[in-house]
Amino acid sequence: QTVVTQEPSFSVSPGGTVTLTCGLSSGSVSTSHYPSWYQQTPGQAPRTLIYNTNTRSSGVPGRFSGSILGHKAALTITGAQADDECDYYCVLYMGSGIYVFGDGTKVTVL
Amino acid sequence: QVQLQESGPGLVKPSETLSLTCTVSGGSISGNYWSWIRQPPGKGLELIAYSYYTGNPYYNPSLTSRVTISVDTARNQFSLILSSVTAADTAVYYCARLVDRPTVAFDYWGQGTLVTVSS
């Protein structure tokens, strides 16, 4: 069974740039996996940030961007703010109606 | 603006059946996919099941023998039934709308409801 991989944690300085990745335990991520990204602050429901690799959801600040980097999907935060300190999850479409969540990345802004 | 709200008991005894309902407001349940996602305390998100409004459900293979999802278009609601629960089923349960290809996203989420399995 293919696993969706994410970094467990990342640290970024205020105003800095961080790139989180979303990969596969076997194989490469492409746009055909329709990568999407979700932000979750403690005690809150997830919020959709990015879908279809690089489309920002309504109301999402421009400092969030999605892409394919090498063989992984990527979420880049440019100009990180204190409010960005939370968990980020990716979801990949694996075909045959199967969607799989990654385990999430905890981002610390300090 | 589409809004989703989960409802159901917050405490279920081991071996019993968990039953949750998600009420959709601000939009029609028709024409869309609807899903249940859970998050055990301190852990990540797990897709439990989803269904088109007319049926044809998908179930997480690890839960398929215990899970049923159903959609009630008349009430603009969909439901989750999880049988034979154990402590491992303790989690916050979210309902969410799933937009399927060519746009793929869980775009609207409920606030979540904590279900604890304990005697």
Side-chain angles (χ1 to χ4, degrees):
Chain A
Q1 180 182 348
T2 301
V3 174
V4 176
T5 62
Q6 294 186 249
E7 299 87 356
S9 62
F10 243 120
S11 185
V12 60
S13 300
T17 296
V18 62
T19 296
L20 316 181
T21 68
C22 177
L24 292 170
S25 57
S26 175
S28 299
V29 177
S30 72
T31 55
S32 299
H33 290 95
Y34 300 90
S36 55
W37 292 89
Y38 303 84
Q39 178 189 56
Q40 187 182 35
T41 54
Q44 300 297 313
R47 165 199 181 197
T48 311
L49 289 179
I50 301 284
Y51 60 91
N52 283 12
T53 305
N54 56 15
T55 303
R56 270 189 299 276
S57 189
S58 176
V60 173
R63 64 179 184 274
F64 294 95
S65 62
S67 63
I68 299 290
L69 282 182
H71 55 279
K72 296 182 178 181
L75 173 70
T76 299
I77 309 174
T78 304
Q81 300 182 2
D83 286 351
D84 301 334
E85 181 166 297
C86 57
D87 297 328
Y88 294 84
Y89 294 90
C90 69
V91 174
L92 298 179
Y93 176 69
M94 306 303 287
S96 302
I98 301 170
Y99 298 87
V100 180
F101 282 85
D103 287 340
T105 298
K106 188 176 195 66
V107 170
T108 302
V109 180
L110 53 72
Chain B
Q1 175 82 350
V2 174
Q3 294 184 316
L4 291 80
Q5 178 67 58
E6 304 89 351
S7 58
L11 181 64
V12 181
K13 289 182 169 56
S15 79
E16 295 192 344
T17 295
L18 179 162
S19 182
L20 296 174
T21 296
C22 182
T23 300
V24 179
S25 59
S28 175
I29 205 165
S30 297
N32 291 289
Y33 288 84
W34 303 95
S35 68
W36 288 98
I37 296 157
R38 70 180 181 179
Q39 185 171 37
K43 296 189 177 182
L45 299 164
E46 178 185 38
L47 177 62
I48 303 169
Y50 69 86
S51 178
Y52 195 48
Y53 77 105
T54 55
N56 193 24
Y58 165 86
Y59 297 119
N60 185 316
S62 68
L63 298 168
T64 188
S65 63
R66 300 194 290 130
V67 175
T68 302
I69 184 172
S70 59
V71 180
D72 186 340
T73 55
R75 296 188 176 188
N76 236 37
Q77 295 176 332
F78 61 105
S79 299
L80 174 75
I81 294 176
L82 180 65
S83 63
S84 305
V85 297
T86 69
D89 295 311
T90 293
V92 175
Y93 285 75
Y94 296 100
C95 58
R97 188 176 79 168
L98 169 61
V99 181
D100 198 18
R101 295 157 288 156
T103 292
V104 172
F106 294 89
D107 62 349
Y108 292 104
W109 296 68
Q111 65 185 25
T113 187
L114 174 63
V115 178
T116 301
V117 178
S118 175
S119 55

